[in-house]
Amino acid sequence: MTAPARIGILTVSDRASRGEYEDKGGPAIHAWFSQVLTSPWEAVARVIPDEQPDIEAALRELSDVEGCSLIVTTGGTGPALRDVTPEATEAVCSKMLPGFGELMRTASLKFVPTAILSRQTAGIRGRSLIVNLPGKPSAIDDCLQAVFPAIPYCLDLIEAAYLESDPAQCKAFRPAHAKPR
């Protein structure tokens, strides 16, 4: 039997990390994957402040030590001075995948004109895909619905965990030549 996929869920929030604010982004991501994934998986969750060195360290730990194939961040993607999640993501990745951010902004623009202020991105670190999501739970859902169809095949390409989803919830796309594991 294959080990469950490890999915890192990283909440970036000064207030949530200090316990002054309830983390709603991390639990929203966990709930989304619980509803959509049919293959075995386990969450590795962290809540940290909006400090670039801390974000970089957490991303490295989730990838290199915890062995997370997918790392999803929430928060820190806007234009505010303390929003540095995209910078931290770029600093730890060897390849950037700007199409993820482009698609998330396009999807979010259907609901809110301020989506153009979002700086979400995605990148590859070793055998980990890192995807930056916004902090608002409804926006997390909108963005994951938009980009998740490409995530399982991306993980296949980087030789990471194999993810399967319930097509009634969110259908993953794999080309006809892609072989199931």
Side-chain angles (χ1 to χ4, degrees), residues 89-127:
T89 299
E90 289 180 26
V92 302
C93 288
S94 60
K95 295 180 182 177
M96 296 308 296
L97 300 169
F100 277 82
E102 293 164 8
L103 183 55
M104 287 187 276
R105 281 183 289 282
T106 300
S108 296
L109 275 169
K110 295 175 186 170
F111 305 102
V112 60
T114 54
I116 62 171
L117 300 177
S118 180
R119 299 177 315 110
Q120 290 127 237
T121 193
I124 304 294
R125 178 180 177 83
R127 291 192 174 154

PDB file of all heavy atoms in Angstrom, residues 89-127:
ATOM      1  N   THR A  89       8.138  32.421  -1.325  1.00  0.00           N
ATOM      2  CA  THR A  89       7.956  31.267  -2.222  1.00  0.00           C
ATOM      3  C   THR A  89       8.991  31.302  -3.340  1.00  0.00           C
ATOM      4  O   THR A  89       9.647  30.294  -3.623  1.00  0.00           O
ATOM      5  CB  THR A  89       6.521  31.266  -2.796  1.00  0.00           C
ATOM      6  OG1 THR A  89       5.600  31.157  -1.699  1.00  0.00           O
ATOM      7  CG2 THR A  89       6.301  30.120  -3.764  1.00  0.00           C
ATOM      8  N   GLU A  90       9.153  32.450  -3.962  1.00  0.00           N
ATOM      9  CA  GLU A  90      10.137  32.569  -5.042  1.00  0.00           C
ATOM     10  C   GLU A  90      11.553  32.294  -4.541  1.00  0.00           C
ATOM     11  O   GLU A  90      12.360  31.698  -5.259  1.00  0.00           O
ATOM     12  CB  GLU A  90      10.055  33.954  -5.676  1.00  0.00           C
ATOM     13  CG  GLU A  90       8.794  34.146  -6.487  1.00  0.00           C
ATOM     14  CD  GLU A  90       8.689  35.524  -7.120  1.00  0.00           C
ATOM     15  OE1 GLU A  90       9.743  36.162  -7.368  1.00  0.00           O
ATOM     16  OE2 GLU A  90       7.555  35.959  -7.369  1.00  0.00           O
ATOM     17  N   ALA A  91      11.846  32.699  -3.306  1.00  0.00           N
ATOM     18  CA  ALA A  91      13.194  32.517  -2.759  1.00  0.00           C
ATOM     19  C   ALA A  91      13.553  31.044  -2.560  1.00  0.00           C
ATOM     20  O   ALA A  91      14.731  30.692  -2.635  1.00  0.00           O
ATOM     21  CB  ALA A  91      13.333  33.273  -1.436  1.00  0.00           C
ATOM     22  N   VAL A  92      12.561  30.179  -2.307  1.00  0.00           N
ATOM     23  CA  VAL A  92      12.866  28.774  -2.017  1.00  0.00           C
ATOM     24  C   VAL A  92      12.614  27.842  -3.201  1.00  0.00           C
ATOM     25  O   VAL A  92      12.920  26.654  -3.119  1.00  0.00           O
ATOM     26  CB  VAL A  92      12.102  28.256  -0.776  1.00  0.00           C
ATOM     27  CG1 VAL A  92      12.419  29.099   0.450  1.00  0.00           C
ATOM     28  CG2 VAL A  92      10.607  28.173  -1.031  1.00  0.00           C
ATOM     29  N   CYS A  93      12.063  28.355  -4.294  1.00  0.00           N
ATOM     30  CA  CYS A  93      11.721  27.505  -5.441  1.00  0.00           C
ATOM     31  C   CYS A  93      12.785  27.564  -6.532  1.00  0.00           C
ATOM     32  O   CYS A  93      13.386  28.614  -6.761  1.00  0.00           O
ATOM     33  CB  CYS A  93      10.370  27.924  -6.032  1.00  0.00           C
ATOM     34  SG  CYS A  93       8.985  27.466  -4.983  1.00  0.00           S
ATOM     35  N   SER A  94      12.969  26.453  -7.223  1.00  0.00           N
ATOM     36  CA  SER A  94      13.898  26.411  -8.353  1.00  0.00           C
ATOM     37  C   SER A  94      13.193  26.733  -9.667  1.00  0.00           C
ATOM     38  O   SER A  94      13.838  27.150 -10.623  1.00  0.00           O
ATOM     39  CB  SER A  94      14.557  25.037  -8.451  1.00  0.00           C
ATOM     40  OG  SER A  94      13.570  24.031  -8.629  1.00  0.00           O
ATOM     41  N   LYS A  95      11.878  26.524  -9.727  1.00  0.00           N
ATOM     42  CA  LYS A  95      11.090  26.822 -10.924  1.00  0.00           C
ATOM     43  C   LYS A  95       9.798  27.487 -10.494  1.00  0.00           C
ATOM     44  O   LYS A  95       9.129  27.014  -9.577  1.00  0.00           O
ATOM     45  CB  LYS A  95      10.726  25.532 -11.686  1.00  0.00           C
ATOM     46  CG  LYS A  95      11.886  24.804 -12.259  1.00  0.00           C
ATOM     47  CD  LYS A  95      11.413  23.543 -12.981  1.00  0.00           C
ATOM     48  CE  LYS A  95      12.637  22.806 -13.511  1.00  0.00           C
ATOM     49  NZ  LYS A  95      12.251  21.538 -14.149  1.00  0.00           N
ATOM     50  N   MET A  96       9.447  28.566 -11.178  1.00  0.00           N
ATOM     51  CA  MET A  96       8.192  29.249 -10.883  1.00  0.00           C
ATOM     52  C   MET A  96       7.149  28.864 -11.933  1.00  0.00           C
ATOM     53  O   MET A  96       7.487  28.607 -13.092  1.00  0.00           O
ATOM     54  CB  MET A  96       8.397  30.769 -10.858  1.00  0.00           C
ATOM     55  CG  MET A  96       9.335  31.242  -9.755  1.00  0.00           C
ATOM     56  SD  MET A  96       8.917  30.633  -8.083  1.00  0.00           S
ATOM     57  CE  MET A  96       7.316  31.403  -7.845  1.00  0.00           C
ATOM     58  N   LEU A  97       5.892  28.826 -11.509  1.00  0.00           N
ATOM     59  CA  LEU A  97       4.771  28.473 -12.370  1.00  0.00           C
ATOM     60  C   LEU A  97       3.754  29.614 -12.326  1.00  0.00           C
ATOM     61  O   LEU A  97       2.734  29.529 -11.651  1.00  0.00           O
ATOM     62  CB  LEU A  97       4.139  27.154 -11.905  1.00  0.00           C
ATOM     63  CG  LEU A  97       5.070  25.941 -11.899  1.00  0.00           C
ATOM     64  CD1 LEU A  97       4.421  24.775 -11.180  1.00  0.00           C
ATOM     65  CD2 LEU A  97       5.453  25.553 -13.314  1.00  0.00           C
ATOM     66  N   PRO A  98       4.015  30.709 -13.036  1.00  0.00           N
ATOM     67  CA  PRO A  98       3.165  31.892 -12.936  1.00  0.00           C
ATOM     68  C   PRO A  98       1.733  31.681 -13.425  1.00  0.00           C
ATOM     69  O   PRO A  98       0.844  32.433 -13.052  1.00  0.00           O
ATOM     70  CB  PRO A  98       3.893  32.931 -13.795  1.00  0.00           C
ATOM     71  CG  PRO A  98       4.765  32.153 -14.712  1.00  0.00           C
ATOM     72  CD  PRO A  98       5.129  30.903 -13.960  1.00  0.00           C
ATOM     73  N   GLY A  99       1.494  30.655 -14.217  1.00  0.00           N
ATOM     74  CA  GLY A  99       0.136  30.392 -14.689  1.00  0.00           C
ATOM     75  C   GLY A  99      -0.848  30.155 -13.555  1.00  0.00           C
ATOM     76  O   GLY A  99      -2.033  30.488 -13.681  1.00  0.00           O
ATOM     77  N   PHE A 100      -0.382  29.600 -12.433  1.00  0.00           N
ATOM     78  CA  PHE A 100      -1.262  29.381 -11.291  1.00  0.00           C
ATOM     79  C   PHE A 100      -1.827  30.710 -10.793  1.00  0.00           C
ATOM     80  O   PHE A 100      -3.031  30.848 -10.592  1.00  0.00           O
ATOM     81  CB  PHE A 100      -0.518  28.668 -10.157  1.00  0.00           C
ATOM     82  CG  PHE A 100      -0.440  27.182 -10.315  1.00  0.00           C
ATOM     83  CD1 PHE A 100       0.531  26.607 -11.121  1.00  0.00           C
ATOM     84  CD2 PHE A 100      -1.319  26.350  -9.652  1.00  0.00           C
ATOM     85  CE1 PHE A 100       0.621  25.235 -11.271  1.00  0.00           C
ATOM     86  CE2 PHE A 100      -1.249  24.978  -9.783  1.00  0.00           C
ATOM     87  CZ  PHE A 100      -0.275  24.405 -10.601  1.00  0.00           C
ATOM     88  N   GLY A 101      -0.964  31.692 -10.579  1.00  0.00           N
ATOM     89  CA  GLY A 101      -1.408  32.994 -10.099  1.00  0.00           C
ATOM     90  C   GLY A 101      -2.312  33.686 -11.100  1.00  0.00           C
ATOM     91  O   GLY A 101      -3.327  34.290 -10.731  1.00  0.00           O
ATOM     92  N   GLU A 102      -1.944  33.581 -12.373  1.00  0.00           N
ATOM     93  CA  GLU A 102      -2.765  34.202 -13.416  1.00  0.00           C
ATOM     94  C   GLU A 102      -4.177  33.628 -13.407  1.00  0.00           C
ATOM     95  O   GLU A 102      -5.166  34.383 -13.465  1.00  0.00           O
ATOM     96  CB  GLU A 102      -2.107  33.986 -14.787  1.00  0.00           C
ATOM     97  CG  GLU A 102      -0.786  34.716 -14.940  1.00  0.00           C
ATOM     98  CD  GLU A 102       0.043  34.211 -16.117  1.00  0.00           C
ATOM     99  OE1 GLU A 102      -0.469  33.394 -16.921  1.00  0.00           O
ATOM    100  OE2 GLU A 102       1.208  34.635 -16.223  1.00  0.00           O
ATOM    101  N   LEU A 103      -4.284  32.306 -13.325  1.00  0.00           N
ATOM    102  CA  LEU A 103      -5.603  31.676 -13.335  1.00  0.00           C
ATOM    103  C   LEU A 103      -6.393  31.996 -12.073  1.00  0.00           C
ATOM    104  O   LEU A 103      -7.603  32.262 -12.134  1.00  0.00           O
ATOM    105  CB  LEU A 103      -5.471  30.162 -13.511  1.00  0.00           C
ATOM    106  CG  LEU A 103      -6.795  29.394 -13.603  1.00  0.00           C
ATOM    107  CD1 LEU A 103      -7.686  29.934 -14.714  1.00  0.00           C
ATOM    108  CD2 LEU A 103      -6.512  27.909 -13.806  1.00  0.00           C
ATOM    109  N   MET A 104      -5.721  32.016 -10.913  1.00  0.00           N
ATOM    110  CA  MET A 104      -6.426  32.333  -9.668  1.00  0.00           C
ATOM    111  C   MET A 104      -6.974  33.761  -9.698  1.00  0.00           C
ATOM    112  O   MET A 104      -8.106  34.009  -9.274  1.00  0.00           O
ATOM    113  CB  MET A 104      -5.514  32.113  -8.461  1.00  0.00           C
ATOM    114  CG  MET A 104      -5.281  30.643  -8.163  1.00  0.00           C
ATOM    115  SD  MET A 104      -4.388  30.352  -6.628  1.00  0.00           S
ATOM    116  CE  MET A 104      -2.688  30.551  -7.171  1.00  0.00           C
ATOM    117  N   ARG A 105      -6.182  34.703 -10.191  1.00  0.00           N
ATOM    118  CA  ARG A 105      -6.670  36.081 -10.288  1.00  0.00           C
ATOM    119  C   ARG A 105      -7.840  36.178 -11.256  1.00  0.00           C
ATOM    120  O   ARG A 105      -8.835  36.852 -10.978  1.00  0.00           O
ATOM    121  CB  ARG A 105      -5.534  37.027 -10.692  1.00  0.00           C
ATOM    122  CG  ARG A 105      -4.622  37.371  -9.519  1.00  0.00           C
ATOM    123  CD  ARG A 105      -3.547  38.368  -9.904  1.00  0.00           C
ATOM    124  NE  ARG A 105      -2.529  37.795 -10.766  1.00  0.00           N
ATOM    125  CZ  ARG A 105      -1.533  37.017 -10.338  1.00  0.00           C
ATOM    126  NH1 ARG A 105      -1.422  36.715  -9.062  1.00  0.00           N
ATOM    127  NH2 ARG A 105      -0.641  36.541 -11.187  1.00  0.00           N
ATOM    128  N   THR A 106      -7.756  35.501 -12.388  1.00  0.00           N
ATOM    129  CA  THR A 106      -8.846  35.511 -13.362  1.00  0.00           C
ATOM    130  C   THR A 106     -10.122  34.945 -12.748  1.00  0.00           C
ATOM    131  O   THR A 106     -11.205  35.521 -12.906  1.00  0.00           O
ATOM    132  CB  THR A 106      -8.453  34.706 -14.619  1.00  0.00           C
ATOM    133  OG1 THR A 106      -7.297  35.321 -15.194  1.00  0.00           O
ATOM    134  CG2 THR A 106      -9.572  34.673 -15.634  1.00  0.00           C
ATOM    135  N   ALA A 107     -10.003  33.836 -12.046  1.00  0.00           N
ATOM    136  CA  ALA A 107     -11.175  33.227 -11.405  1.00  0.00           C
ATOM    137  C   ALA A 107     -11.755  34.158 -10.339  1.00  0.00           C
ATOM    138  O   ALA A 107     -12.976  34.324 -10.249  1.00  0.00           O
ATOM    139  CB  ALA A 107     -10.802  31.876 -10.791  1.00  0.00           C
ATOM    140  N   SER A 108     -10.897  34.771  -9.551  1.00  0.00           N
ATOM    141  CA  SER A 108     -11.357  35.645  -8.466  1.00  0.00           C
ATOM    142  C   SER A 108     -11.995  36.932  -8.977  1.00  0.00           C
ATOM    143  O   SER A 108     -12.870  37.503  -8.328  1.00  0.00           O
ATOM    144  CB  SER A 108     -10.194  35.985  -7.533  1.00  0.00           C
ATOM    145  OG  SER A 108      -9.723  34.823  -6.895  1.00  0.00           O
ATOM    146  N   LEU A 109     -11.553  37.405 -10.139  1.00  0.00           N
ATOM    147  CA  LEU A 109     -12.123  38.635 -10.711  1.00  0.00           C
ATOM    148  C   LEU A 109     -13.613  38.501 -11.023  1.00  0.00           C
ATOM    149  O   LEU A 109     -14.317  39.495 -11.108  1.00  0.00           O
ATOM    150  CB  LEU A 109     -11.368  39.048 -11.974  1.00  0.00           C
ATOM    151  CG  LEU A 109     -10.118  39.870 -11.731  1.00  0.00           C
ATOM    152  CD1 LEU A 109      -9.306  40.006 -13.020  1.00  0.00           C
ATOM    153  CD2 LEU A 109     -10.460  41.236 -11.167  1.00  0.00           C
ATOM    154  N   LYS A 110     -14.094  37.285 -11.154  1.00  0.00           N
ATOM    155  CA  LYS A 110     -15.531  37.062 -11.383  1.00  0.00           C
ATOM    156  C   LYS A 110     -16.346  37.452 -10.153  1.00  0.00           C
ATOM    157  O   LYS A 110     -17.542  37.663 -10.251  1.00  0.00           O
ATOM    158  CB  LYS A 110     -15.793  35.594 -11.731  1.00  0.00           C
ATOM    159  CG  LYS A 110     -15.170  35.168 -13.031  1.00  0.00           C
ATOM    160  CD  LYS A 110     -15.358  33.684 -13.260  1.00  0.00           C
ATOM    161  CE  LYS A 110     -14.608  33.233 -14.502  1.00  0.00           C
ATOM    162  NZ  LYS A 110     -14.578  31.773 -14.630  1.00  0.00           N
ATOM    163  N   PHE A 111     -15.688  37.523  -8.991  1.00  0.00           N
ATOM    164  CA  PHE A 111     -16.386  37.778  -7.736  1.00  0.00           C
ATOM    165  C   PHE A 111     -16.050  39.119  -7.097  1.00  0.00           C
ATOM    166  O   PHE A 111     -16.878  39.696  -6.406  1.00  0.00           O
ATOM    167  CB  PHE A 111     -16.087  36.652  -6.737  1.00  0.00           C
ATOM    168  CG  PHE A 111     -16.418  35.298  -7.275  1.00  0.00           C
ATOM    169  CD1 PHE A 111     -15.420  34.452  -7.749  1.00  0.00           C
ATOM    170  CD2 PHE A 111     -17.737  34.865  -7.345  1.00  0.00           C
ATOM    171  CE1 PHE A 111     -15.723  33.205  -8.265  1.00  0.00           C
ATOM    172  CE2 PHE A 111     -18.044  33.614  -7.862  1.00  0.00           C
ATOM    173  CZ  PHE A 111     -17.041  32.790  -8.328  1.00  0.00           C
ATOM    174  N   VAL A 112     -14.817  39.594  -7.310  1.00  0.00           N
ATOM    175  CA  VAL A 112     -14.390  40.821  -6.631  1.00  0.00           C
ATOM    176  C   VAL A 112     -13.351  41.566  -7.487  1.00  0.00           C
ATOM    177  O   VAL A 112     -12.379  40.964  -7.945  1.00  0.00           O
ATOM    178  CB  VAL A 112     -13.846  40.507  -5.216  1.00  0.00           C
ATOM    179  CG1 VAL A 112     -12.663  39.580  -5.254  1.00  0.00           C
ATOM    180  CG2 VAL A 112     -13.502  41.753  -4.453  1.00  0.00           C
ATOM    181  N   PRO A 113     -13.562  42.872  -7.708  1.00  0.00           N
ATOM    182  CA  PRO A 113     -12.629  43.614  -8.561  1.00  0.00           C
ATOM    183  C   PRO A 113     -11.240  43.790  -7.942  1.00  0.00           C
ATOM    184  O   PRO A 113     -10.278  44.064  -8.655  1.00  0.00           O
ATOM    185  CB  PRO A 113     -13.313  44.964  -8.773  1.00  0.00           C
ATOM    186  CG  PRO A 113     -14.266  45.103  -7.642  1.00  0.00           C
ATOM    187  CD  PRO A 113     -14.681  43.712  -7.262  1.00  0.00           C
ATOM    188  N   THR A 114     -11.122  43.620  -6.643  1.00  0.00           N
ATOM    189  CA  THR A 114      -9.814  43.780  -5.997  1.00  0.00           C
ATOM    190  C   THR A 114      -8.925  42.554  -6.171  1.00  0.00           C
ATOM    191  O   THR A 114      -7.798  42.538  -5.669  1.00  0.00           O
ATOM    192  CB  THR A 114      -9.993  44.090  -4.498  1.00  0.00           C
ATOM    193  OG1 THR A 114     -10.814  43.070  -3.922  1.00  0.00           O
ATOM    194  CG2 THR A 114     -10.619  45.459  -4.296  1.00  0.00           C
ATOM    195  N   ALA A 115      -9.376  41.534  -6.898  1.00  0.00           N
ATOM    196  CA  ALA A 115      -8.539  40.351  -7.158  1.00  0.00           C
ATOM    197  C   ALA A 115      -7.247  40.734  -7.873  1.00  0.00           C
ATOM    198  O   ALA A 115      -6.246  40.028  -7.756  1.00  0.00           O
ATOM    199  CB  ALA A 115      -9.311  39.318  -7.962  1.00  0.00           C
ATOM    200  N   ILE A 116      -7.265  41.850  -8.587  1.00  0.00           N
ATOM    201  CA  ILE A 116      -6.039  42.273  -9.282  1.00  0.00           C
ATOM    202  C   ILE A 116      -4.939  42.688  -8.305  1.00  0.00           C
ATOM    203  O   ILE A 116      -3.780  42.805  -8.693  1.00  0.00           O
ATOM    204  CB  ILE A 116      -6.312  43.414 -10.288  1.00  0.00           C
ATOM    205  CG1 ILE A 116      -6.846  44.658  -9.587  1.00  0.00           C
ATOM    206  CG2 ILE A 116      -7.228  42.947 -11.395  1.00  0.00           C
ATOM    207  CD1 ILE A 116      -6.923  45.880 -10.482  1.00  0.00           C
ATOM    208  N   LEU A 117      -5.288  42.874  -7.045  1.00  0.00           N
ATOM    209  CA  LEU A 117      -4.293  43.223  -6.028  1.00  0.00           C
ATOM    210  C   LEU A 117      -3.556  41.992  -5.493  1.00  0.00           C
ATOM    211  O   LEU A 117      -2.555  42.131  -4.789  1.00  0.00           O
ATOM    212  CB  LEU A 117      -4.962  43.964  -4.865  1.00  0.00           C
ATOM    213  CG  LEU A 117      -5.672  45.266  -5.206  1.00  0.00           C
ATOM    214  CD1 LEU A 117      -6.344  45.835  -3.966  1.00  0.00           C
ATOM    215  CD2 LEU A 117      -4.708  46.264  -5.823  1.00  0.00           C
ATOM    216  N   SER A 118      -4.055  40.820  -5.811  1.00  0.00           N
ATOM    217  CA  SER A 118      -3.460  39.593  -5.302  1.00  0.00           C
ATOM    218  C   SER A 118      -2.191  39.245  -6.080  1.00  0.00           C
ATOM    219  O   SER A 118      -2.121  39.432  -7.286  1.00  0.00           O
ATOM    220  CB  SER A 118      -4.466  38.446  -5.403  1.00  0.00           C
ATOM    221  OG  SER A 118      -3.862  37.277  -4.913  1.00  0.00           O
ATOM    222  N   ARG A 119      -1.201  38.720  -5.346  1.00  0.00           N
ATOM    223  CA  ARG A 119       0.087  38.392  -5.962  1.00  0.00           C
ATOM    224  C   ARG A 119       0.394  36.903  -5.848  1.00  0.00           C
ATOM    225  O   ARG A 119       1.543  36.491  -5.819  1.00  0.00           O
ATOM    226  CB  ARG A 119       1.179  39.236  -5.303  1.00  0.00           C
ATOM    227  CG  ARG A 119       0.942  40.723  -5.483  1.00  0.00           C
ATOM    228  CD  ARG A 119       1.960  41.615  -4.797  1.00  0.00           C
ATOM    229  NE  ARG A 119       2.266  41.213  -3.431  1.00  0.00           N
ATOM    230  CZ  ARG A 119       3.431  40.689  -3.037  1.00  0.00           C
ATOM    231  NH1 ARG A 119       4.405  40.520  -3.885  1.00  0.00           N
ATOM    232  NH2 ARG A 119       3.620  40.362  -1.783  1.00  0.00           N
ATOM    233  N   GLN A 120      -0.644  36.069  -5.803  1.00  0.00           N
ATOM    234  CA  GLN A 120      -0.434  34.634  -5.669  1.00  0.00           C
ATOM    235  C   GLN A 120       0.466  34.108  -6.779  1.00  0.00           C
ATOM    236  O   GLN A 120       0.419  34.584  -7.901  1.00  0.00           O
ATOM    237  CB  GLN A 120      -1.769  33.890  -5.750  1.00  0.00           C
ATOM    238  CG  GLN A 120      -2.655  34.094  -4.569  1.00  0.00           C
ATOM    239  CD  GLN A 120      -4.021  34.542  -4.996  1.00  0.00           C
ATOM    240  OE1 GLN A 120      -4.458  35.580  -4.560  1.00  0.00           O
ATOM    241  NE2 GLN A 120      -4.703  33.808  -5.833  1.00  0.00           N
ATOM    242  N   THR A 121       1.229  33.084  -6.431  1.00  0.00           N
ATOM    243  CA  THR A 121       2.102  32.429  -7.395  1.00  0.00           C
ATOM    244  C   THR A 121       2.216  30.963  -7.011  1.00  0.00           C
ATOM    245  O   THR A 121       1.577  30.506  -6.063  1.00  0.00           O
ATOM    246  CB  THR A 121       3.486  33.127  -7.460  1.00  0.00           C
ATOM    247  OG1 THR A 121       4.189  32.648  -8.603  1.00  0.00           O
ATOM    248  CG2 THR A 121       4.294  32.929  -6.195  1.00  0.00           C
ATOM    249  N   ALA A 122       3.027  30.237  -7.736  1.00  0.00           N
ATOM    250  CA  ALA A 122       3.302  28.834  -7.419  1.00  0.00           C
ATOM    251  C   ALA A 122       4.693  28.508  -7.935  1.00  0.00           C
ATOM    252  O   ALA A 122       5.212  29.171  -8.841  1.00  0.00           O
ATOM    253  CB  ALA A 122       2.265  27.920  -8.068  1.00  0.00           C
ATOM    254  N   GLY A 123       5.287  27.486  -7.346  1.00  0.00           N
ATOM    255  CA  GLY A 123       6.609  27.083  -7.775  1.00  0.00           C
ATOM    256  C   GLY A 123       6.950  25.685  -7.314  1.00  0.00           C
ATOM    257  O   GLY A 123       6.215  25.064  -6.544  1.00  0.00           O
ATOM    258  N   ILE A 124       8.086  25.211  -7.802  1.00  0.00           N
ATOM    259  CA  ILE A 124       8.564  23.866  -7.494  1.00  0.00           C
ATOM    260  C   ILE A 124       9.810  23.955  -6.628  1.00  0.00           C
ATOM    261  O   ILE A 124      10.734  24.723  -6.921  1.00  0.00           O
ATOM    262  CB  ILE A 124       8.933  23.103  -8.798  1.00  0.00           C
ATOM    263  CG1 ILE A 124       7.751  23.054  -9.770  1.00  0.00           C
ATOM    264  CG2 ILE A 124       9.480  21.713  -8.480  1.00  0.00           C
ATOM    265  CD1 ILE A 124       6.576  22.254  -9.299  1.00  0.00           C
ATOM    266  N   ARG A 125       9.825  23.187  -5.565  1.00  0.00           N
ATOM    267  CA  ARG A 125      11.017  23.002  -4.736  1.00  0.00           C
ATOM    268  C   ARG A 125      11.230  21.495  -4.634  1.00  0.00           C
ATOM    269  O   ARG A 125      10.434  20.800  -3.990  1.00  0.00           O
ATOM    270  CB  ARG A 125      10.850  23.605  -3.353  1.00  0.00           C
ATOM    271  CG  ARG A 125      12.079  23.354  -2.474  1.00  0.00           C
ATOM    272  CD  ARG A 125      11.942  23.945  -1.086  1.00  0.00           C
ATOM    273  NE  ARG A 125      13.101  23.620  -0.295  1.00  0.00           N
ATOM    274  CZ  ARG A 125      14.268  24.274  -0.311  1.00  0.00           C
ATOM    275  NH1 ARG A 125      14.403  25.317  -1.101  1.00  0.00           N
ATOM    276  NH2 ARG A 125      15.279  23.890   0.441  1.00  0.00           N
ATOM    277  N   GLY A 126      12.246  20.987  -5.299  1.00  0.00           N
ATOM    278  CA  GLY A 126      12.489  19.544  -5.286  1.00  0.00           C
ATOM    279  C   GLY A 126      11.286  18.788  -5.824  1.00  0.00           C
ATOM    280  O   GLY A 126      10.866  18.989  -6.960  1.00  0.00           O
ATOM    281  N   ARG A 127      10.698  17.945  -4.971  1.00  0.00           N
ATOM    282  CA  ARG A 127       9.499  17.183  -5.337  1.00  0.00           C
ATOM    283  C   ARG A 127       8.272  17.737  -4.635  1.00  0.00           C
ATOM    284  O   ARG A 127       7.350  16.993  -4.301  1.00  0.00           O
ATOM    285  CB  ARG A 127       9.689  15.711  -5.018  1.00  0.00           C
ATOM    286  CG  ARG A 127      10.708  15.069  -5.933  1.00  0.00           C
ATOM    287  CD  ARG A 127      10.695  13.577  -5.827  1.00  0.00           C
ATOM    288  NE  ARG A 127      11.587  13.020  -6.837  1.00  0.00           N
ATOM    289  CZ  ARG A 127      12.171  11.851  -6.715  1.00  0.00           C
ATOM    290  NH1 ARG A 127      11.957  11.122  -5.656  1.00  0.00           N
ATOM    291  NH2 ARG A 127      12.952  11.414  -7.683  1.00  0.00           N
TER     292      ARG A 127
END
